[in-house]
Each structure stands twice: as C-alpha cells, then as structure tokens.
Amino acid sequence: MDYDAMDGLEDIGPRVTVREAAKSSVGFVLTNVDLAFANSLRRIILAEVPTMAIDLVEVEANTSVLADEFIAHRLGLIPLNSKDVDSILYTRDCDCEQYCDNCSITLTLHARCTSNEIMKIYARDLVIGSVTPNDQIGRPVISDAEGLGSVIGKLRQGQELRMKCIAKKGIAKEHAKWAPTSAVGFEYDPHNKLRHLDLWYEDDPIKEWPKSKNAEWEEPPLEGAPFNYDAQPSEFYFDVESIGNLEPDAVIQQGIKVMQQKLAAVIQELTGDEGRGGDVEYEPRSPGAMNGGAAGDYGGGIEGGYTTPYGNGGNASAWGGGGQTPYGATPYGQNNGWAA
C-alpha cells in the first residue's frame, strides 16, 4: 500500500483527543461525528457495557438484625472487578440449568462475632470459591486507603452471617448494579452558538449561566455575527467516571465494541446472508444480538428471557414467563406490558 496516498486524511472519520486521564476517570473530546453517533456512544457506555455483579444469594445463616433481602441488595451493589468479562457467558446463553463456572463466579461470606464489640463486615470478607478466567475478575473493588471496601453489615456477639453469592454477567439496562460508570458527562456547543438551549434568565444570561470548562476549547461567538442555520455540532466533550470494576478506557472500548455489534446486526438484518461478502462474518451475540440470536438475546426468540433466582424455571424472567418486562418489547422478550 502506498502510505503517502493517505496524507491529509487525518480528519476523515472520528477523532479522539484525551484531555485528562486518571485511574478512575477520563475526559476526552470526540470530533468529526454527528450528534446521533456521540449520544449513542454515551447511552451504550451508561447502560450496555457488560460487567459482573452478585445476582443470586443463597442464605445459609443470618442471625443479624438485617433481613435477608436487605443484605442481598447490599451485596448486589458491591462493584466487582470485571476484567476480561468477555470470557464469562451470559446465563441465558449457557447450557446449565441455573449457574456454573462458565457463566458465573461464586463468592462466599462467613462471619461470626465472638466478642463484646460490634463486628463490621466489609466487602473484603467476600472470598472467591470457584474457578475464574483470571485472578482479578469477580473480586470486590476496594479503593479506600484501609483496604476494607464497602460495609455490608454489623454483628453483635453471637450473631452469624453465612451466605453463598453468585455473581453473573449483565448490563445496566437490566439492573443498575451492572453499571460500569457512576457518571458520564456529555456536552456540546458550550457557548450555545447553535441555540439548542433556550436559557431562562432574569437580567443577564452570561452572569446567571456561567460557562463550563469545555468553553475553553471553543472560540466564543462574535457579537453581532449572523446566525448560521445550517451549523451542526461536531465536537463533543465526554467525562467518564468508572466505579472501579473496569478501567475508564476499557469502558469506552467495550462501548465501541457493543456499538459495532449492534451495527453489524443491523447490516445483517438489512442485507441478509448474501450481503456479508467475502470472509466478513457478523456474529452478533449478547448483548448485541437481534432476531438472529439465541433465545434471550436482543429480540432473539420469544421463549427467552434471562435466568433469575426468582423461580419461574428455565430462562423465564423475573416478571413472568416468556420474558415479559414492564418496558414492553426489550432485549429480554417480545411481549408488552406487565406479566399477568
């Protein structure tokens, strides 16, 4: 290939400028894309990047003052390391009845207070008890200086807590405990030159609506300049903050991967098998599968759903058989409305 022929093509296609990067956050500017593309990436990062979270809790002993459901809810919100999460199957894609080493990670919690002082139980007390693809995935995320992690509960003398926790792969669209980020900042046109915002003010909008830090990256509008009705936003400012289960750059890369899977699935549906051409293979899988996927994938099959610990057997969802959810036609079923 004549690489000299590519000179001057740097500005064709999406371009990313990293403004700041830290262990748990990253700020960057996305250019040469339209608003629909940038907002799609934001929504996918928020809700469709797969992570690990405790989804099933088997209570063997609980003599604390907290109810089983209360502790199970707290356990589900503890962020778990999700490095190399692609090596774990979705439960709905696995051949097991409920969970196995291919689609889940088992953690155990056993604490008993024998002293007169109150005993605190932390996330660090969760111990992995199953085979994992690597030595990091499934471990509780501990970011405090003491190395304790989130508080799960407290015990008095003689009280005991013994539980078996099953962590599964999922996305935040299914439940917020699978969210990879705590916040995703998104802004464009910080000077409001496109007038997409109708700012309410009493006296002076400039004083009452201070500019964000993103305004430093663009030139302010000239006073008295004519309004350009054909102008479109082309620079988008992202601030992604991870909760620790994935590094911020990995969150963005996974978001791009999910978007590619979705677009590949759309192309496959529109063109059919004849439109693949050559050796290109579109293999949409959860969470990007469409009608061509297995039952339980995004719209694939009407008998699917996702396996939950709430009964209903097999792959029925927590809202009832057939994958019904309160959101209508979703990735987990084709039916509308609440289950009867």
Side-chain angles (χ1 to χ4, degrees):
M1 175 182 291
D2 186 5
Y3 290 97
D4 294 335
M6 299 182 65
D7 292 342
L9 297 181
E10 301 90 353
D11 294 334
I12 297 179
R15 185 174 184 178
V16 175
T17 303
V18 178
R19 299 189 296 176
E20 54 185 357
K23 183 178 180 180
S24 60
S25 62
V26 63
F28 63 94
V29 183
L30 180 63
T31 57
N32 292 346
V33 299
D34 59 12
L35 178 58
F37 182 94
N39 191 50
S40 298
L41 180 60
R42 177 191 68 87
R43 290 170 61 94
I44 290 176
I45 290 175
L46 279 171
E48 298 192 51
V49 172
T51 61
M52 298 295 297
I54 293 176
D55 189 50
L56 175 62
V57 178
E58 299 177 359
V59 180
E60 299 177 7
N62 178 21
T63 56
S64 68
V65 297
L66 300 178
D68 296 347
E69 296 82 359
F70 190 94
I71 298 178
H73 182 264
R74 294 181 66 86
L75 290 170
L77 294 178
I78 295 176
L80 303 179
N81 192 302
S82 301
K83 181 180 180 181
D84 195 21
V85 71
D86 290 336
S87 60
I88 302 293
L89 295 175
Y90 286 93
T91 301
R92 56 182 174 269
D93 295 336
C94 190
D95 296 330
C96 66
E97 293 185 0
Q98 192 171 26
Y99 61 86
C100 65
D101 290 342
N102 294 327
C103 64
S104 66
I105 296 176
T106 302
L107 300 95
T108 57
L109 176 64
H110 187 194
R112 181 180 177 85
C113 182
T114 58
S115 65
N116 293 326
E117 298 181 358
I118 295 177
M119 176 183 178
K120 293 183 179 180
I121 308 172
Y122 296 94
R124 68 171 184 181
D125 298 319
L126 288 167
V127 180
I128 294 181
S130 62
V131 179
T132 59
N134 57 67
D135 59 351
Q136 295 295 325
I137 189 169
R139 296 186 180 276
V141 175
I142 299 176
S143 57
D144 57 298
E146 294 78 10
L148 301 175
S150 307
V151 177
I152 298 175
K154 300 178 181 180
L155 299 178
R156 293 297 297 268
Q157 186 176 17
Q159 294 180 341
E160 181 183 10
L161 196 62
R162 188 167 68 253
M163 296 181 170
K164 180 180 179 181
C165 309
I166 310 301
K168 298 183 179 181
K169 180 180 175 180
I171 58 176
K173 183 180 287 187
E174 185 175 340
H175 195 284
K177 64 186 176 184
W178 280 295
T181 60
S182 56
V184 177
F186 178 75
E187 185 183 20
Y188 68 92
D189 187 24
H191 292 287
N192 197 29
K193 291 184 289 186
L194 301 178
R195 301 179 187 176
H196 287 184
L197 293 178
D198 186 11
L199 303 177
W200 181 92
Y201 62 93
E202 294 181 349
D203 298 316
D204 188 354
I206 297 179
K207 294 181 179 179
E208 298 176 22
W209 292 90
K211 304 299 181 183
S212 68
K213 63 178 182 179
N214 299 323
E216 301 174 359
W217 287 71
E218 294 187 13
E219 294 292 334
L222 299 177
E223 186 175 355
F227 179 71
N228 184 2
Y229 289 91
D230 297 326
Q232 296 292 333
S234 60
E235 296 186 358
F236 305 91
Y237 305 92
F238 285 79
D239 290 286
V240 180
E241 182 178 350
S242 169
I243 64 172
N245 48 11
L246 287 172
E247 296 179 350
D249 59 332
V251 174
I252 299 169
Q253 291 173 7
Q254 286 283 350
I256 296 173
K257 181 179 178 180
V258 172
M259 180 181 290
Q260 290 174 334
Q261 292 174 338
K262 285 177 170 290
L263 293 175
V266 172
I267 294 173
Q268 180 180 353
E269 288 295 316
L270 293 177
T271 61
D273 296 338
E274 301 170 350
R276 296 189 178 188
D279 297 327
V280 179
E281 294 185 2
Y282 300 104
E283 297 181 355
R285 297 292 297 171
S286 299
M290 296 294 182
N291 292 334
D297 291 348
Y298 271 40
I302 60 175
E303 298 178 356
Y306 57 94
T307 304
T308 71
Y310 308 109
N312 295 327
N315 289 330
S317 72
W319 292 287
Q324 290 181 336
T325 76
Y327 308 107
T330 71
Y332 313 111
Q334 297 288 346
N335 298 321
N336 295 321
W338 291 89

